[in-house]
């Protein structure tokens, strides 16, 4: 069923505000020893730990979990990319982030010793917040603890304050590594700016260039990698990588994304990826925002 949002440019495809189950999610089990679960109670402590890591481990692999897609844009669209951005904008502006996972690597692909993966769990209330039921079912099956998210989840405003001052964003020295990450960055840009995403895709990429100057999207890199196809798990299996943690949890997916990037860099790019061709492109969207050297920006139409 579809509902037109009054005064909006999006139509709500479906909305669910209560779960068919009790909404508690799985227990999740104990996380791997190199993972740390971050809730409201240990947020500042873990940001302090990350500030010490980032200088020596400036490659940050990232993934998010969010509550699906519940709306689609109205109107006419110039390109497929324009439609995809408007779809992203509608949903990122309506919905809330559930998890963010980041894993620290150095330039050779070695993880930080000890705790290297941080899984941030945000406040989310199944009785109040919008979501797509199939996405919540999948995340619940993966062990997402929705009751704990409601009671101990991180407030995004507090997270944003610490994130901005952490040294992880707005720095040319940091390289973000992702997989099909347009929605991931949509949620993070909205979180960091405390504003709804802009109407135009170009304006979104300008905000990206400020907050995340250097980004590689593994799904975009796959355009130049013969025989690599599919989602993250299929790519990891093709590259003979083993998952650590649980699929569809942001920490595990970030860990695997980083491992896939460095294995691809070695096997397909001879350890040298051309920034002009690959840095700053997000899979599924049509603009790039870097000039290739991380020191300036020139918005351009993708020819890929």
């Amino acid at each position: 069923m579809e509902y037109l949002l009054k005064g909006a440019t999006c139509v709500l495809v479906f909305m669910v505000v209560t779960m068919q189950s009790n909404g508690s999610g799985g227990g999740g089990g104990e996380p791997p020893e190199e993972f740390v679960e971050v809730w409201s109670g240990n947020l500042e402590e873990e940001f302090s730990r990350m500030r010490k890591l980032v200088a020596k481990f400036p490659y940050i692999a990232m993934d998010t979990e969010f509550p699906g897609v519940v709306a689609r844009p109205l109107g006419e669209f110039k390109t497929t990319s324009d439609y995809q951005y408007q779809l992203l904008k509608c949903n990122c502006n309506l919905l809330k982030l559930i998890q963010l996972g980041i894993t620290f690597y150095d330039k050779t692909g070695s993880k930080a010793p000890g705790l290297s993966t941080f899984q941030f769990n945000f406040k989310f209330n199944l009785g109040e917040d919008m979501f797509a039921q199939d996405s919540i079912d999948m995340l619940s099956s993966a062990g997402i603890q929705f009751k704990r998210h409601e009671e101990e989840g991180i407030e995004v405003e507090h997270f944003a304050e610490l994130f901005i001052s952490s040294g992880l964003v707005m720095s040319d020295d940091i390289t973000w590594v992702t997989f099909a990450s347009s929605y991931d960055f949509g949620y993070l840009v909205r979180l960091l700016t405390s504003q709804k995403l802009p109407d135009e895709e170009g304006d979104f990429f300008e905000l990206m260039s400020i907050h995340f100057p250097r980004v590689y999207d593994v799904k975009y890199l796959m355009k130049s990698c013969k025989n690599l196809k599919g989602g993250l798990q299929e790519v990891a299996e093709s590259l003979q990588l083993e998952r650590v943690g649980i699929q569809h949890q942001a920490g595990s997916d970030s860990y695997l994304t980083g491992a896939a990037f460095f294995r691809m860099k070695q096997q397909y790019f001879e350890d040298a990826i051309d920034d002009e061709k690959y840095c700053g492109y997000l899979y599924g969207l049509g603009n790039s925002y870097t000039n290739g050297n991380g020191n300036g920006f020139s918005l351009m139409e993708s020819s890929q």
Side-chain angles (χ1 to χ4, degrees):
M1 186 176 294
E2 295 186 350
Y3 300 88
L4 180 63
L5 300 179
K6 185 177 180 181
T9 56
C10 299
V11 58
L12 202 61
V13 180
F14 56 89
M15 180 181 75
V16 185
V17 293
T18 56
M19 281 197 70
Q20 295 174 355
S21 66
N22 62 15
S24 61
E30 289 297 319
E33 61 181 11
E34 60 264 67
F35 286 30
V36 58
E37 293 279 358
V38 187
W39 300 89
S40 58
N42 64 332
L43 179 63
E44 295 194 7
E45 174 187 351
E46 300 309 332
F47 261 106
S48 177
R49 192 194 308 271
M50 291 192 301
R51 289 188 194 100
K52 297 173 183 177
L53 286 177
V54 71
K56 291 185 178 180
F57 299 90
Y59 281 74
I60 302 176
M62 180 270 288
D63 183 72
T64 69
E65 301 298 341
F66 51 89
V69 173
V70 303
R72 62 177 177 82
L74 296 173
E76 297 181 359
F77 307 97
K78 294 172 286 188
T79 63
T80 300
S81 175
D82 182 35
Y83 173 79
Q84 291 298 330
Y85 175 71
Q86 297 303 324
L87 180 66
L88 177 155
K89 183 194 76 171
C90 283
N91 287 278
C92 289
N93 285 346
L94 282 171
L95 303 176
K96 294 182 177 180
L97 191 60
I98 295 174
Q99 274 190 344
L100 167 68
I102 61 176
T103 300
F104 288 85
Y105 291 85
D106 67 16
K107 64 181 181 180
T108 70
S110 296
K111 291 186 293 80
L115 295 175
S116 60
T117 297
F118 297 75
Q119 184 163 274
F120 297 89
N121 299 282
F122 294 96
K123 186 169 286 295
F124 194 87
N125 188 330
L126 290 170
E128 299 176 358
D129 298 323
M130 286 192 290
F131 57 84
Q133 184 68 55
D134 57 348
S135 295
I136 294 301
D137 289 344
M138 179 189 71
L139 294 175
S140 185
S141 296
I144 303 294
Q145 303 173 65
F146 283 106
K147 187 64 175 175
R148 192 172 180 187
H149 278 265
E150 179 183 343
E151 296 173 350
E152 301 178 43
I154 299 162
E155 296 284 357
V156 293
E157 296 83 2
H158 190 195
F159 177 88
E161 291 174 3
L162 295 170
F163 200 25
I164 287 172
S165 62
S166 66
L168 277 65
V169 295
M170 297 186 288
S171 172
D172 293 340
D173 297 327
I174 306 302
T175 299
W176 288 80
V177 176
T178 63
F179 189 97
S181 56
S182 57
Y183 279 80
D184 299 333
F185 284 117
Y187 281 103
L188 291 183
V189 167
R190 186 183 172 208
L191 179 153
L192 286 165
T193 61
S194 299
Q195 296 179 349
K196 292 186 181 297
L197 295 183
D199 290 336
E200 298 297 326
E201 183 183 28
D203 294 332
F204 169 71
F205 274 98
E206 287 186 10
L207 292 171
M208 281 286 299
S209 73
I210 295 168
H211 294 92
F212 303 98
R214 291 182 54 80
V215 172
Y216 290 111
D217 188 324
V218 168
K219 185 70 171 177
Y220 189 85
L221 291 176
M222 286 165 56
K223 290 171 174 278
S224 300
C225 300
K226 187 178 179 180
N227 300 325
L228 286 185
K229 62 181 181 178
L232 176 60
Q233 186 62 40
E234 185 176 353
V235 169
E237 290 171 0
S238 296
L239 295 170
Q240 298 183 314
L241 296 170
E242 290 189 14
R243 176 179 289 277
V244 175
I246 302 172
Q247 186 175 4
H248 303 309
Q249 289 204 17
S252 176
D253 285 352
S254 75
Y255 184 109
L256 198 58
T257 296
F261 170 78
F262 283 104
R263 182 66 58 86
M264 288 167 62
K265 183 171 179 278
Q266 179 186 51
Q267 290 188 3
Y268 291 92
F269 296 93
E270 298 180 341
D271 269 333
I273 297 178
D274 184 348
D275 281 0
E276 289 284 352
K277 291 178 65 176
Y278 301 107
C279 186
Y281 287 91
L282 300 185
Y283 179 80
L285 297 183
N287 287 322
S288 170
Y289 58 87
T290 74
N291 67 1
N293 60 19
N295 294 320
F297 313 105
S298 56
L299 199 63
M300 65 190 79
E301 288 299 322
S302 169
S303 61
Q304 300 295 319

